[in-house]
Amino acid sequence: QKEVEQNSGPLSVPEGAIASLNCTYSDRGSQSFFWYRQYSGKSPELIMSIYSNGDKEDGRFTAQLNKASQYVSLLIRDSQPSDSATYLCAVGSSASKIIFGSGTRLSIRP
Amino acid sequence: SQTIHQWPATLVQPVGSPLSLECTVEGTSNPNLYWYRQAAGRGLQLLFYSVGIGQISSEVPQNLSASRPQDRQFILSSKKLLLSDSGFYLCAWQGQGIEQYFGPGTRLTVT
């Protein structure tokens, strides 16, 4: 069964520091990778997509992909209290389905 | 731009009662549509997905059903709710790649 694994946290990071979130996946043939942010009581919001090995930067967010190690990460620079949320890693399973991890809860302490 | 709507936003229903949740998408044609459930503190469980009108794929056997009567409308139903049906129900549509975009969700409490 295809799986996406994340540490559930909580991960506590001081304001202004770099938050590092990690994810591993089981399907070596996966080609599409996503990070979603979910605030408490709200629906998930897509914040990053990455399709090829290496880094992809968007503002304070950097997604990193290593297909050989089946590893995806999300770095959040200059962490803000508003970054406190649950971050879901998601991996494309087929042309029409995505498998989600259970999420990592991130807390930014002032 | 595309917009996805879900209603109701919250719902409290007794055990054994019927359920109907609705999802509509604007600004796109023939989207792939999805129903997920998220139990408290848990991950997303894919319940159903649809690639077109009348085409429904079920991922998990349960007492729920789904229908797609129109291109941009997706409905989740149950004839008799169970306590275990409580959760946060999310509808999503698939974008140009395979990324998915979620609606605001319906929080269902079965009492």
Side-chain angles (χ1 to χ4, degrees), chain A residues 31-98:
Chain A
Q31 299 293 324
S32 307
F33 307 87
F34 310 95
W35 284 99
Y36 288 79
R37 177 177 62 200
Q38 185 175 24
Y39 292 115
S40 180
K42 302 296 185 182
S43 61
E45 173 193 10
L46 178 65
I47 56 172
M48 290 289 284
S49 323
I50 187 166
Y51 302 96
S52 51
N53 277 331
D55 295 0
K56 179 182 177 182
E57 188 175 316
D58 183 0
R60 296 187 296 112
F61 297 97
T62 298
Q64 300 176 317
L65 174 61
N66 183 327
K67 289 184 180 179
S69 300
Q70 295 174 244
Y71 181 91
V72 192
S73 64
L74 179 70
L75 302 178
I76 306 175
R77 291 183 299 282
D78 187 24
S79 296
Q80 303 296 310
S82 59
D83 295 325
S84 296
T86 296
Y87 289 80
L88 305 175
C89 175
V91 176
S93 169
S94 68
S96 56
K97 288 199 284 186
I98 293 176

Side-chain angles (χ1 to χ4, degrees), chain B:
Chain B
S1 64
Q2 297 84 5
T3 309
I4 181 168
H5 304 278
Q6 285 187 249
W7 62 90
T10 59
L11 193 58
V12 180
Q13 292 284 95
V15 167
S17 64
L19 173 74
S20 181
L21 302 180
E22 189 165 343
C23 169
T24 59
V25 181
E26 296 177 356
T28 185
S29 296
N30 196 31
N32 287 354
L33 297 173
Y34 304 82
W35 278 112
Y36 290 88
R37 177 171 60 202
Q38 187 175 39
R42 306 289 293 276
L44 295 173
Q45 179 186 31
L46 178 62
L47 303 175
F48 301 94
Y49 72 96
S50 171
V51 299
I53 295 174
Q55 301 179 64
I56 308 294
S57 296
S58 174
E59 290 294 300
V60 181
Q62 56 206 318
N63 70 322
L64 299 172
S65 62
S67 62
R68 186 167 176 177
Q70 300 181 43
D71 181 43
R72 287 170 284 182
Q73 184 185 33
F74 204 20
I75 297 172
L76 183 69
S77 304
S78 174
K79 292 182 179 177
K80 288 186 177 181
L81 284 169
L82 306 172
L83 284 174
S84 58
D85 291 324
S86 293
F88 192 34
Y89 286 82
L90 293 157
C91 181
W93 66 278
Q94 186 177 35
Q96 293 279 352
I98 70 163
E99 73 278 8
Q100 293 178 14
Y101 300 92
F102 289 89
T106 294
R107 192 162 302 281
L108 171 66
T109 303
V110 182
T111 60

Side-chain angles (χ1 to χ4, degrees), chain A residues 1-5 24-30 70 91 99:
Chain A
Q1 186 172 350
K2 300 173 184 177
E3 294 182 338
V4 177
E5 300 286 343
T24 58
Y25 60 95
S26 63
D27 183 5
R28 187 170 289 278
S30 298
Q70 295 174 244
V91 176
I99 298 175

